[in-house]
């Protein structure tokens, strides 16, 4: 199972959550960013429907596969001290 961690960070004069190099909108305080990240993490972990997906890899090669809706990552939120 893959692991996904949203991080709470200071951003653009306020607070945001981020995944990798992608930031959320900016929130006025850390608490609001933490609440939003918890909501997004909950949705990310929720099972969905099985889907047929197509995607392009980093080498430009296209792939097709069936993705199980129950194949969800282990999701967490890292809060700074």
């Amino acid at each position: 199972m893959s692991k996904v961690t949203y991080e709470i960070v200071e951003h653009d004069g306020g607070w945001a959550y981020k995944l990798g190099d992608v930031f959320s909108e900016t929130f006025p305080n850390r608490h609001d960013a933490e609440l939003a990240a918890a909501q997004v993490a909950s949705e990310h972990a929720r099972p969905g429907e099985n889907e047929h997906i197509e995607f392009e890899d980093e080498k430009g090669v296209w792939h097709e596969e069936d993705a199980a809706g129950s194949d969800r990552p282990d999701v967490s939120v890292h809060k700074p001290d």
Side-chain angles (χ1 to χ4, degrees), residues 14-55:
W15 290 85
Y17 60 87
K18 73 175 198 164
L19 181 58
D21 294 331
V22 179
F23 291 87
S24 70
E25 64 190 273
T26 302
F27 295 89
N29 58 62
R30 183 171 132 171
H31 178 73
D32 288 351
E34 289 175 359
L35 289 175
Q39 178 67 34
V40 168
S42 172
E43 292 171 6
H44 198 153
R46 185 176 305 130
E49 299 293 321
N50 293 347
E51 298 283 341
H52 181 77
I53 61 172
E54 299 178 12
F55 62 95

Side-chain angles (χ1 to χ4, degrees), residues 56-61:
E56 184 177 11
D57 67 19
E58 63 278 352
K59 294 180 180 177
V61 178

